Amino acid sequence: MDSPAAAVIPAVYGASDRPPRGDYSRGGSVQADYTCPQDWASYTAADHDTYRRLYERQAAQLPGLACDAFINALPSLGVKDRIPHFDEINERLHKATGWEIVAVPGLIPELPFFTLLANRKFPVTDWIRKPEEFNYIVEPDVFHDLFGHVPMLFDPTFADYVQRYGAGGIKAHELGAGEKLSRLYWYTVEFGLIRQPDGLRAYGAGILSSVGELQHAVLSNEPRRLPLDLLRAMRTRYKIDTYQSNYFVIEDFAQLFDLTAPDFTPIYEALAVEADIEPGVLLPGETGKA
Ligand SMILES: [Fe+2]
């Protein structure tokens, strides 16, 4: 691992008057790649209780709404009544798919994020929301990152997709297309839906870790649902502070892996001359009922 960075710069996404949340100094323990030790000793009894209550509430509403891969892998997170040690999860995760989770102090910039994914390391914020943020938090915390993301990394095909996404991200960053590519992450890894034989289900972490969005994404007639198309998804802007007004649906995880096999350079060239699409807007010929 690299030597500790003297000053690791926190990431800010979008316009915000607030300083980014999280302690990026940690007494010099944050590395140049933004990883740090999980500060498990600093969790209070209230922190563990927040995790336990979030886990319990969210697990109860998964049947019929979360995809099978997620439900089957959730027990691999281990303990439910306190914040787990990342090392314990890593023993199981590494055996399953060769991935590991690494602690980070909060959101990290684009290139280090892509680089970690390309190396099969998933960054997990190690702090948890305050009790008064139980129902809603703007930034990802340890509950969103662990509960929402990590079970899917136990699925070999999905795990390969995320690694391929990271490798593509490094290239996109060099081409100045990182923001466009990040929309693909948003509409798959964060807010993706999959059509199982028994119906529509969620696989995106932003849905799976949200108390209200699971029902909205899978069952509500309100949002538009479109078949996943790379260009369409990467043209579509997104909102970070409301439920999504459109979702993209896949047929299986191999589709994600296959879609991201080609070189994206021609797609970025096409995107450069195509206008962005506002969330929730349908183009001619689209029904929004995928
Ligand atoms: Fe996330």
Side-chain angles (χ1 to χ4, degrees):
M1 193 167 273
D2 297 325
S3 59
V8 177
I9 303 157
V12 184
Y13 293 100
S16 175
D17 295 332
R18 294 181 301 118
R21 188 158 167 184
D23 177 3
Y24 288 74
S25 63
R26 299 274 183 107
S29 69
V30 179
Q31 307 289 311
D33 65 357
Y34 285 87
T35 64
C36 60
Q38 181 191 13
D39 192 6
W40 204 87
S42 75
Y43 298 137
T44 64
D47 289 338
H48 288 302
D49 193 55
T50 298
Y51 184 88
R52 178 189 65 75
R53 291 187 297 128
L54 285 166
Y55 191 117
E56 195 176 276
R57 179 176 68 174
Q58 207 60 15
Q61 59 162 334
L62 297 177
L65 299 176
C67 71
D68 290 345
F70 184 88
I71 289 176
N72 293 339
L74 187 61
S76 299
L77 291 187
V79 293
K80 312 171 188 178
D81 58 347
R82 57 177 167 78
I83 302 168
H85 285 278
F86 295 175
D87 290 350
E88 291 172 8
I89 295 173
N90 277 337
E91 282 179 27
R92 297 182 283 270
L93 180 58
H94 198 266
K95 268 185 213 142
T97 58
W99 272 78
E100 64 176 302
I101 54 177
V102 289
V104 288
L107 289 170
I108 67 173
E110 180 179 287
L111 185 57
F113 179 70
F114 291 145
T115 305
L116 287 173
L117 298 184
N119 289 288
R120 295 178 98 83
K121 292 174 197 282
F122 194 84
V124 174
T125 298
D126 68 348
W127 52 263
I128 195 156
R129 69 195 71 183
K130 297 190 171 76
E132 59 268 29
E133 298 167 304
F134 193 72
N135 289 322
Y136 179 72
I137 183 170
V138 180
E139 301 91 345
D141 70 343
V142 67
F143 180 74
H144 166 81
D145 281 344
L146 270 191
F147 186 98
H149 284 285
V150 176
M152 290 307 303
L153 294 173
F154 281 82
D155 182 275
T157 310
F158 185 83
D160 284 348
Y161 162 66
V162 181
Q163 194 244 330
R164 182 177 266 177
Y165 174 88
I170 295 170
K171 191 166 178 189
H173 180 81
E174 288 162 2
L175 297 170
E179 191 189 336
K180 296 279 196 250
L181 184 66
S182 70
R183 293 174 181 170
L184 179 63
Y185 188 90
W186 187 264
Y187 284 122
T188 59
V189 178
E190 293 291 356
F191 290 96
L193 295 177
I194 184 168
R195 187 171 315 288
Q196 289 189 174
D198 51 352
L200 202 62
R201 297 289 186 274
Y203 70 89
I207 305 173
L208 291 161
S209 65
S210 160
V211 63
E213 189 145 0
L214 250 176
Q215 297 262 349
H216 173 81
V218 179
L219 300 179
S220 170
N221 288 325
E222 218 175 285
R224 318 288 199 185
R225 298 184 186 88
L226 301 159
L228 179 63
D229 172 86
L230 284 182
L231 199 62
R232 177 66 167 87
M234 284 197 271
R235 284 179 65 192
T236 309
R237 296 162 61 87
Y238 59 81
K239 294 188 175 170
I240 64 165
D241 53 359
T242 61
Y243 294 160
Q244 301 305 300
S245 48
N246 49 226
Y247 298 92
F248 289 88
V249 181
I250 60 169
E251 301 302 317
D252 54 37
F253 296 121
Q255 186 186 347
L256 290 178
F257 189 64
D258 295 344
L259 272 176
T260 44
D263 177 9
F264 275 23
T265 306
I267 297 176
Y268 300 141
E269 286 166 2
L271 283 168
V273 295
E274 297 277 7
D276 281 351
I277 302 166
E278 291 304 314
V281 169
L282 292 179
L283 298 181
E286 291 178 344
T287 66
K289 299 186 187 306

